[in-house]
Amino acid sequence: MAKKIKVYVEPNETIDECLNRIAQMGYRPVRRIEKPVFEQTGTKDEPVHSHQSILFECVALKP
């Protein structure tokens, strides 16, 4: 088992469901990173905020 992994919250998945999935894999989150995701819409060059991408950095429960 790897010591550290990165897990993204999948589309249509709640944060709680993601945390449960992480626990079932035998890891615990130590850091949460949120980044905005922008999309190009229409003919304008201005990007529009679409959603937040959430990433958890996790460590193994039993090293």
Side-chain angles (χ1 to χ4, degrees):
M1 182 172 1
K3 291 182 180 181
K4 287 186 176 182
I5 62 170
K6 295 181 179 179
V7 179
Y8 283 94
V9 176
E10 300 293 328
N12 300 321
E13 179 183 39
T14 66
I15 294 173
D16 193 41
E17 291 171 342
C18 182
L19 292 173
N20 289 335
R21 183 167 47 101
I22 291 170
Q24 288 176 351
M25 293 188 302
Y27 290 87
R28 67 177 174 88
V30 292
R31 185 174 180 198
R32 174 179 166 165
I33 303 167
E34 291 190 36
K35 294 183 180 179
V37 177
F38 294 94
E39 291 183 355
Q40 202 78 20
T41 57
T43 57
K44 294 185 178 181
D45 292 333
E46 299 175 11
V48 177
H49 181 262
S50 173
H51 62 279
Q52 291 287 104
S53 173
I54 302 173
L55 168 74
F56 287 102
E57 290 182 358
C58 306
V59 295
L61 288 173
K62 298 177 184 175

